[in-house]
Amino acid sequence: MDRVALRGLKARGHHGVFPREREEGQTFIVDLVLGLDTRPAAADDDLAKTVHYGIVAEEVVAVVQGEPVDLVETLAERIAQVCLKHEVVQQVEVCVHKPDAPITVPFDDVTVTITRSRV
């Protein structure tokens, strides 16, 4: 399976279990790895036979900016489902970063990574 990766998609969302997270929002960063067969697109040099990663990026940002959820796990699942709606995408790995998570000790990042496929 071939892979198309999008790294560092940034969007502001209002996800989290604490009122401050819901009110003020924060930046979320999303990395995606889309699994698909790129041979048909490469053979015909045809965008219609692969995934349009610009459209996927816009859809993912819309999910992050959209309806708030409590858990990063839920956000990752919603992003995965949006990616799998693209017919050529057979598998997706979603990594959601929450670098401004409300943690009381020094840290660099919090991530949740999931893999989903058509089955």
Side-chain angles (χ1 to χ4, degrees), residues 23-82:
E23 293 165 12
E24 296 177 14
Q26 59 192 293
T27 299
F28 292 83
I29 302 165
V30 178
D31 300 325
L32 301 173
V33 179
L34 307 171
L36 62 146
D37 183 356
T38 63
R39 288 176 292 190
D44 295 336
D45 198 27
D46 186 352
L47 175 62
K49 294 181 178 179
T50 189
V51 65
H52 191 309
Y53 49 80
I55 291 173
V56 171
E58 291 171 358
E59 292 171 347
V60 168
V61 166
V63 171
V64 175
Q65 293 174 337
E67 179 184 348
V69 296
D70 288 344
L71 302 178
V72 177
E73 292 85 344
T74 305
L75 181 60
E77 184 67 35
R78 288 184 178 183
I79 291 168
Q81 295 310 312
V82 163

Side-chain angles (χ1 to χ4, degrees), residues 1-5 33-40 42 88 90-91:
M1 188 171 307
D2 304 319
R3 297 177 296 157
V4 174
V33 179
L34 307 171
L36 62 146
D37 183 356
T38 63
R39 288 176 292 190
V88 298
Q90 297 301 306
Q91 184 178 55

Side-chain angles (χ1 to χ4, degrees), residues 25 32 111 113:
L32 301 173
T111 65
T113 302

Side-chain angles (χ1 to χ4, degrees), residues 97-109:
H97 301 255
K98 189 174 178 180
D100 299 320
I103 297 175
T104 60
V105 298
F107 74 102
D108 288 330
D109 198 6

